[in-house]
Amino acid sequence: MERRFGLIHATALNMTNMIGIGPFITIPLLMSALGGPQAMLGWLVALVVVLCDGMVWSELGAALPGSGGSFGYLRRGYGAESVGRLMGFLFVWQFVLSGPLEIASGYIGFSQYVGYLWKGITARQTMLVVTVIGLANLALLYRRITSIATITVALWIGTIVTVIVVVVTGARHFDPSVAFAFPPGAFNFSLGFLLGLGAASRIGVYDYLGYYDVCYIGDEVENPGRVIPRSIMISTIAVAVIYLAINLSIIGVVPWRDFVPAAARPQSNFVVSVFMERIYGPGIATIFTAMILWTAFGSVFALLLGYSRVPYAAAKDGYFFKVFARLHPSQGFPYVSLVVLGVLSILAGFVSLGMVIDALITTRILVQFIGQIGAVTLLRRRAPDLPRPYRMWLYPVPSLVALLGWIFIFATTPPPVVAFGLGALLLGVVCFGVWSWKGRTWPFEARRVSLGTPV
């Protein structure tokens, strides 16, 4: 492939995937995590974790600049024909689960803001909205896309305009006494504080997701040893500033007590619409709500488009179930992968946003994030001569900080969600065993050869 992504393009790609509906739907959840603006500490914890984890991605992406991202790093780090085969399978397995969860968060956000326009919307009607928008997204992508760039740019412009309007409006009407009205004992250290900080950190990580997207198209990046690490760091810091500005803009106008706790405050579902209504009135707020719906649809369109290609690529290379490698007979797109992820996304949209975010982050931590930290360490030991245009600063400190951060976030997750993550991982291992046994691949092929049985 032609290497045409320079630093600006790579940074824009990362930021495009990082900024979507997230900042407009997570503010009430963030403030509810610790019961006040002190929950912004979760942003700081998440920022430290993703910056250190970004160095892990940077070293792997610069040394192994191919398509596939984590899929390739895990295979190479753990051995492509042995444990790496298991890790590659588990990555795609968790991706089939976590990808729809991420898309579902966009559907949920869309349905929440529809609630501002559709007064008195019921839970059943909300599920109907999720289903309709999910099917519409699936129908739009169920064809050969010949105008992806045009559609993506149009949706991205809507997102940028929405963000700019919120930040500028908030800056003009910001009231520090409203934004920093901390409750009594806001910073008292306790087990409850730690659990709340973990919840806020999970929300922060969710909003940062995408800081590594350039790694998935590594073979199209110009001078990857320089561009990949810099684009990851620049996009992460830039988005952190943008998200901070959005959060302060909202809570500097709308008192946080008006939408905390989120579960007991219906208007928390469309807090940015409330923000615009208090400043400009319901007419402008309605127009702005339509802009947020545009942004939400843009995010789920881009996610389902990109994510549906991951199981397809893995299956085509023989690292996942063959059925996912099927292409549409006339249009030539991976229709099985698209439909599976699309339907799972709709079903995941029937649960609460908080549960979706918790399950999404928890599912990805064990195989993808912690797994890659192991891959970096193994490659340093097993392949010391591997060209590394970028070497992690102060190695292994960033790896250890990221590891401790991921462990903290995982350990402070509600037990049912942790059980879901571990159960999904265990089921993936079982499926890998059955799949490998039927295909006579590692570890069964290796065992058969060692016993002297003809291959």
Side-chain angles (χ1 to χ4, degrees):
M1 294 186 180
E2 181 183 353
R3 294 191 179 275
R4 53 188 174 81
F5 272 75
L7 180 59
I8 294 177
H9 306 95
T11 303
L13 174 69
N14 289 343
M15 292 182 65
T16 298
N17 286 276
M18 294 171 75
I19 300 177
I21 186 64
F24 305 122
I25 61 176
T26 56
I27 296 173
L29 291 178
L30 179 70
M31 297 299 161
S32 299
L34 278 171
Q38 69 273 22
M40 296 292 288
L41 286 173
W43 283 103
L44 179 60
V45 172
L47 179 60
V48 171
V49 173
V50 300
L51 280 174
C52 291
D53 192 61
M55 294 186 193
V56 174
W57 282 90
S58 295
E59 179 164 324
L60 291 170
L64 305 169
S67 293
S70 299
F71 182 65
Y73 308 153
L74 294 170
R75 283 190 301 166
R76 181 70 180 271
Y78 291 90
E81 300 304 324
S82 56
V83 180
R85 189 172 180 83
L86 168 63
M87 295 299 291
F89 179 93
L90 290 178
F91 165 71
V92 183
W93 173 265
Q94 64 85 26
F95 201 91
V96 171
L97 297 176
S98 66
L101 288 169
E102 188 172 354
I103 298 168
S105 68
Y107 293 155
I108 295 171
F110 188 99
S111 66
Q112 287 180 345
Y113 275 87
V114 166
Y116 180 77
L117 305 176
W118 184 351
K119 305 300 183 183
I121 186 172
T122 65
R124 183 170 295 182
Q125 291 166 337
T126 299
M127 293 174 65
L128 176 63
V129 171
V130 168
T131 303
V132 170
I133 195 66
L135 291 175
N137 193 28
L138 186 57
L140 184 62
L141 289 169
Y142 197 83
R143 60 190 175 90
R144 183 189 298 275
I145 303 295
T146 56
S147 54
I148 294 176
T150 302
I151 295 174
T152 303
V153 169
L155 294 171
W156 173 235
I157 289 174
T159 301
I160 291 298
V161 171
T162 304
V163 169
I164 291 174
V165 170
V166 170
V167 172
V168 172
T169 301
R172 293 179 55 198
H173 299 85
F174 181 76
D175 185 347
S177 64
V178 174
F180 302 114
F182 295 103
F187 298 97
N188 289 347
F189 187 80
S190 65
L191 177 60
F193 181 87
L194 278 179
L195 293 175
L197 183 62
S201 301
R202 285 192 300 279
I203 295 167
V205 169
Y206 163 78
D207 283 332
Y208 285 123
L209 287 179
Y211 58 93
Y212 42 73
D213 272 10
V214 67
C215 294
Y216 288 108
I217 58 164
D219 53 5
E220 298 179 63
V221 177
E222 177 184 342
N223 190 6
R226 174 180 178 273
V227 169
I228 288 178
R230 293 189 180 190
S231 67
I232 289 175
M233 292 298 121
I234 292 173
S235 59
T236 301
I237 294 172
V239 168
V241 173
I242 292 172
Y243 279 167
L244 178 63
I246 292 175
N247 276 268
L248 291 178
S249 296
I250 301 300
I251 66 173
V253 174
V254 181
W256 61 267
R257 289 179 175 84
D258 288 1
F259 52 84
V260 173
R265 301 285 193 274
Q267 65 181 6
S268 68
N269 290 334
F270 38 81
V271 64
V272 183
S273 298
V274 174
F275 162 79
M276 295 300 291
E277 182 179 301
R278 293 193 178 185
I279 296 175
Y280 299 116
I284 297 298
T286 298
I287 296 174
F288 194 78
T289 300
M291 294 174 63
I292 293 180
L293 294 178
W294 176 280
T295 298
F297 188 79
S299 68
V300 295
F301 174 86
L303 286 172
L304 184 56
L305 171 63
Y307 285 5
S308 64
R309 271 57 179 175
V310 174
Y312 160 74
K316 187 177 65 173
D317 291 342
Y319 282 85
F320 203 59
F321 300 117
K322 288 183 180 180
V323 66
F324 283 87
R326 293 181 181 176
L327 293 174
H328 191 278
S330 60
Q331 298 294 315
F333 64 91
Y335 73 100
V336 172
S337 183
L338 177 67
V339 170
V340 170
L341 267 64
V343 171
L344 289 177
S345 300
I346 294 172
L347 296 176
F350 296 160
V351 300
S352 70
L353 178 63
M355 184 175 295
V356 164
I357 292 176
D358 285 348
L360 160 64
I361 301 301
T362 303
T363 304
R364 288 193 179 175
I365 283 177
L366 296 177
V367 175
Q368 186 172 24
F369 297 135
I370 292 181
Q372 286 188 172
I373 294 172
V376 164
T377 305
L378 289 171
L379 283 173
R380 286 259 185 160
R381 294 179 179 179
R382 295 176 178 176
D385 298 328
L386 177 70
R388 291 178 173 82
Y390 169 85
R391 298 179 70 90
M392 186 186 302
W393 302 340
L394 302 176
Y395 176 84
V397 174
S399 289
L400 294 175
V401 172
L403 177 62
L404 291 175
W406 292 128
I407 292 174
F408 167 71
I409 291 173
F410 187 84
T412 54
T413 302
V417 182
V418 171
F420 169 80
L422 294 175
L425 180 62
L426 180 60
L427 181 58
V429 172
V430 172
C431 288
F432 173 80
V434 174
W435 177 66
S436 298
W437 177 76
K438 291 183 66 176
R440 294 296 184 264
T441 56
W442 184 89
F444 299 101
E445 182 183 39
R447 180 177 300 176
R448 184 172 52 177
V449 170
S450 66
L451 292 174
T453 305
V455 178

